[in-house]
Amino acid sequence: MRTANVRTIVIWTLVALVGAAGWSVLALARGEDVSAAWMVAAALGSYAIGYRFYSKFIAYKVLKVDATRATPAERLNNGIDFHPTDRRVLLGHHFAAIAGAGPLVGPVLAAQMGYLPGTVWIIAGVIFAGAVQDMVVLFFSTRRDGRSLGQMAREEIGPFGGAAALIAAFAIMIILLGVLALVIVNALAASPWGTFSIAMTIPIALLMGFYLRVLRPGRVAEVSLIGVGLLLLALVAGRWVAESSWAGAFTLAPSTLVVWLVAYGFIASILPVWMLLAPRDYLSTFMKIGTIALLALGVVVALPTLKMDPVTDFASRGDGPVFAGSLFPFVFITIACGALSGFHSLISSGTTPKMIQKETQVRMIGYGSMLMESSVAIMALVAASIIDPGLYFAMNAPAGAIGTTVQNASQVVTGWGYSISPAELAQAAKNVEEATLLSRTGGAPTLAVGVSEIFSKVTGGSLRAFWYHFAIMFEALFILTALDAGTRVGRFMLQDMLGNVYRPFKNISWKPGLVLTSAIVCALWGYFLWVGVHEPLGGINQLFPIFGISNQLLAAVALAVCTTLLVKSGRLKWAWITGIPLVWDATVTLTASFQKVFSSDPKVGFFKQRSVFQDAIDDGKVLPPAKSMDDMHTVVTNSTVDGVLTAVLALLIVVVIADALRVCVRHLRRPALSTLSEAPYVESKILAPAGLIPTREEKEEARDAVAPTGV
């Protein structure tokens, strides 16, 4: 057994002290200025300790990852969906696929409650729940030929609970994809800079894919330098295009963007994974991680002050203008992806287990990627908390609450206890070259303002507008990489479901099946997106209010499947690792679901909102956000649909959890009746490091043996 040397003990003691100092200042400081650097210190110190100790314990003590066991990528390699992929490329792909809108906008909206509740949940949640879910799902899916989450539920829990999981997971996936696509359309609709730069990542990714596959196999460092250089050129050229006569060609209408997004999603879903999806996501990761790292460095250099209160009055009152509801359970639902995300379980049981070279890499790719995403959420919360609270609420409150003029907005926000003058509101918009910042809801513009605030303190105020528009484009790129991978995963899920009826669909690389299912998935989320773009209260806008809850309900399915598999595979004493997060997530999410369905507050409860608007229709009145009687009828329909869907999804998740509990109890009473659908052991012939940097032993092993390498 290896023992820690003095140097290692000193390093980790210092890391612990930095993290503890950050937490102490955040928790104890009252009435004095607090630097955002303490939030960064608390996060990074906690992440480092969580990864070094907790993730290693789970990987090697609980899961017992086996470096000698061949993965599906090695055993079933067909160059389309199954393909052994260099761990560095796969880390980039997985991170880019899981990092969508949630970690960017969720924490921004949750800042309404103050910076402290969000910070605690983002950091503690990811270490003990989110990253654990991602790694354990990835491990069990890898052991089962890359089976989707729903199919694993069907095989391991049973047809009844499995059917509920399959239906819930696929329905939630379509909702998530539609919401992600809508955010992209809103970000790119008037941005030739963003549209050009993002469009250029596609040919760059194709070049990288062919470079690694055909020209220089295995030369990841080379292709990384080429890809990053071309990406930076595309970013700079994007601004040139926006200021040139070409701007009109890249200024696309929302409906045109919908068509392009659906076409891209379909093509990315059917092409071999090495050709476009993996290299594009890997390329995007450089920009994502680079920007977040620069943000963290900017915070350390500029030392901006956290201007938002640690805990606001809205946390206890539950009547916040950004979103209604009390701190428990809605701050956890709102933050979602930054701490725990059901969407991630679909990626961990979708593309990634079909590409991973070694079981030992599940720790770095599953747990490590989620820590990276959580760092994004922390930086988003920092960005929202360092700007003037008055500006924050003016940007995130709906027009129906604050009006459309800076004078009226100033008066309303001041009434909430956060004063800001009309002149300051006007100047804030002028600083980023926007006509107005009032009611720029959704979180993305607020994040962009915070990013510009941090970067301009380092580079100078004259570049504030540049950094603002850079951040808007950055957010669109961030989200698009989740859309293409999500579409492919949706195809896998549909193939698994149809394979239970018609066996050829079980072969996920069967070309007629992959084309048909890709088309169906794209048509489903594309329809909701198209209607949402053309009808402000319709389509995906209708389903937007259940985005957070559905995502967390899906996490409950994933944790239930993981807990069941831990019990059935003889790891009962370690079942608490996913069991405790399952109990917490189910409690939070089912409480939120109940309140969203049955609350007597029309700002919270869907059915109460329906009743209020229906009564107004009967009286001939028009209530905001409706602008006409037709809108009033649409709100009634939307509230009804959202209420029913929330209740149905919650019921499906209760069925899954109850059936999983039944299976666990049956296994404990009569273990002989339990079966595992784990693929048989096959010895691996691939040599690859477990982590980003090879250990001394791994380098010696590579020198002593010659083995085929994946791309």
Side-chain angles (χ1 to χ4, degrees), residues 569-643:
S569 60
R571 301 174 173 94
L572 173 63
K573 68 178 180 179
W574 305 122
W576 59 267
I577 288 171
T578 54
I580 293 176
L582 169 61
V583 172
W584 168 257
D585 181 54
T587 302
V588 169
T589 314
L590 293 176
T591 300
S593 300
F594 183 86
Q595 292 186 19
K596 292 299 288 184
V597 175
F598 298 111
S599 174
S600 59
D601 183 351
K603 293 182 179 179
V604 178
F606 290 128
F607 289 158
K608 182 61 177 179
Q609 183 184 64
R610 180 198 182 282
S611 176
V612 168
F613 275 77
Q614 185 60 56
D615 290 344
I617 290 173
D618 295 340
D619 294 337
K621 298 178 181 178
V622 176
L623 304 178
K627 297 179 181 178
S628 66
M629 196 54 69
D630 285 343
D631 286 351
M632 292 290 291
H633 286 286
T634 302
V635 171
V636 169
T637 301
N638 290 357
S639 300
T640 305
V641 170
D642 287 340

